[in-house]
Amino acid sequence: MFLPKIKKVLLLSGVFLILASCSEYQKVLKEAEPGEKYAMAEKLYTEALEEDSNSKFRKAIRLFEQIVPQYRGKPQGEKVTFLFADSYYHVGDNYLAGYQFERFVQAYPNSDRVEEAQFKSAKSYYYLSPRYDLDQTETVKAVAELQKYIDAYPNGEYLEEANNLAADLRVKLEKKAFEIAKQYHKIGDFGVRGENYKAAIVAFTNFINEYPGSPFREAAFYYRFDAAYQYAINSYEYLMKERLNTAREYYNNYKRFYSEGDEHFDAIQASFNDLESRLQNL
């Protein structure tokens, strides 16, 4: 009988403490002077870091929102602005975290924490990057921000991670460009005779020139050849010889870089053998 009573008392005590804490927070939020708000915001931020508590970060954010403008230009302004941005970063509000860290870097370029702020700003934009098949405006911005950090801090604390993140985003941009070119190849002869294959050849040529180190490069060489081959064999007979010879050049380009062990070698070789047979018959 005694133990349940103790548990009940402890539970009620905990409830009262939570209610009192909430009441104190609401009072400071609505009525306190900037100094009190600053003290509570910093306390909540510190506790949130220790406890990994999103709710405390969000409480701190509400206080920081009120006091950041009032501390701008004052000695505490640098710290308040950084903690404000970092609170957004920890709750995963990547748009506002990136924006607030950018503002911090602009306002306090000589701060001891400017490198961290610049990296976290770039990383926040990294997290805003969508799937490769969607609009890549955010991805382009994230790459630019990461590159800005890499250029500014060639020996920086976060250099390796920044390089890895930038490389990941570049592959996403490459995949987007590759899939656009591949789409022209896929729809092939639909529409105006051969025009989609012609567009695919141009798109894959641009891709090869623009992304020399891409993991999709071998496939791009293959699909460029195949687009030229399909374009040729679906042509009027009087155009076929010239177009088959162009496809042969793309085959030679593929062979210059890729050997029998590569992914598309068997397919390209079969098409090339047919191409040679057609040229002999012509």
Side-chain angles (χ1 to χ4, degrees), residues 4 6 26 32 35 49 61 117 131 145 148 152 164 167 174 183-184 186 194 204 212 224 254:
I6 292 177
Q26 289 299 327
L49 277 181
I61 285 169
R131 297 194 321 256
E145 292 299 315
K148 191 188 298 182
N164 290 337
E174 290 167 15
Q183 190 64 24
Y184 285 119
K186 184 178 179 180
F204 281 120
R224 181 175 67 169
Y254 177 93

Side-chain angles (χ1 to χ4, degrees), residues 30-31 37 111 137 160 175 248 275:
K30 293 176 181 177
E31 301 173 9
K37 291 182 179 182
S111 170
T137 301
E160 183 178 356
K175 186 171 178 61
R248 178 195 271 166
L275 179 154

Side-chain angles (χ1 to χ4, degrees), residues 40 56 85 90 104 140 167 169 196 235 241 259 261 271:
M40 178 169 275
K56 287 191 175 181
H90 283 286
F104 176 85
V140 171
L169 294 180
N196 291 318
S235 299
K241 183 175 181 180
S259 64
S271 296

Side-chain angles (χ1 to χ4, degrees), residues 9-259:
V9 170
L10 289 173
L11 180 62
L12 287 171
S13 299
V15 170
F16 285 131
L17 283 171
I18 291 169
L19 290 173
S21 174
C22 290
S23 175
E24 181 189 2
Y25 172 76
Q26 289 299 327
K27 185 177 180 181
V28 172
L29 183 68
K30 293 176 181 177
E31 301 173 9
E33 296 296 315
E36 291 178 77
K37 291 182 179 182
Y38 173 81
M40 178 169 275
E42 186 176 16
K43 179 174 179 289
L44 285 166
Y45 171 87
T46 303
E47 290 174 355
L49 277 181
E50 293 170 353
E51 300 167 18
D52 192 22
S53 169
N54 265 19
S55 63
K56 287 191 175 181
F57 275 124
R58 292 193 182 280
K59 283 184 175 181
I61 285 169
R62 291 186 67 190
L63 291 165
F64 284 132
E65 283 174 338
Q66 294 184 5
I67 62 175
V68 163
Q70 298 176 51
Y71 279 99
R72 197 166 289 130
K74 296 180 180 178
Q76 304 98 319
E78 180 183 328
K79 186 174 184 180
V80 171
T81 306
F82 183 89
L83 297 186
F84 184 38
D86 207 43
S87 296
Y88 277 126
Y89 181 82
H90 283 286
V91 299
D93 192 333
N94 295 304
Y95 180 80
L96 286 173
Y99 172 71
Q100 293 297 340
F101 275 126
E102 273 190 292
R103 292 190 67 186
F104 176 85
V105 170
Q106 291 166 4
Y108 304 101
N110 298 318
S111 170
D112 292 339
R113 307 197 76 169
V114 72
E115 180 191 345
E116 181 184 356
Q118 192 160 328
F119 172 72
K120 284 184 173 179
S121 175
K123 191 172 181 180
S124 297
Y125 288 119
Y126 168 86
Y127 286 125
L128 290 172
S129 172
R131 297 194 321 256
Y132 80 88
D133 54 330
L134 300 176
D135 180 77
Q136 294 300 304
T137 301
E138 296 290 353
T139 305
V140 171
K141 179 172 177 59
V143 170
E145 292 299 315
L146 286 162
Q147 192 60 51
K148 191 188 298 182
Y149 170 82
I150 291 165
D151 293 342
Y153 301 97
N155 299 305
E157 180 181 352
Y158 310 99
L159 182 65
E160 183 178 356
E161 186 177 0
N163 277 317
N164 290 337
L165 295 176
D168 183 48
L169 294 180
R170 288 191 182 101
V171 169
K172 186 183 290 188
L173 292 174
E174 290 167 15
K175 186 171 178 61
K176 173 85 170 181
F178 175 77
E179 291 297 334
I180 289 171
K182 196 174 174 183
Q183 190 64 24
Y184 285 119
H185 178 275
K186 184 178 179 180
I187 58 179
D189 255 344
F190 287 110
V192 180
R193 187 182 183 94
E195 287 304 302
N196 291 318
Y197 285 127
K198 189 176 179 181
I201 293 166
V202 172
F204 281 120
T205 298
N206 290 340
F207 179 89
I208 289 165
N209 292 335
E210 190 170 348
Y211 304 108
S214 173
F216 308 107
R217 185 175 170 82
E218 189 247 344
F221 270 99
Y222 164 71
Y223 282 112
R224 181 175 67 169
F225 161 78
D226 193 65
Y229 167 71
Q230 297 294 341
Y231 186 42
I233 66 175
N234 288 289
S235 299
Y236 295 109
E237 189 171 346
Y238 74 94
L239 295 170
M240 194 176 292
K241 183 175 181 180
E242 179 186 354
R243 291 176 180 178
L244 285 170
N245 280 318
T246 299
R248 178 195 271 166
E249 290 176 18
Y250 291 140
Y251 168 83
N252 290 332
N253 291 152
Y254 177 93
K255 285 281 288 181
R256 188 177 304 126
F257 295 103
Y258 301 102
S259 64

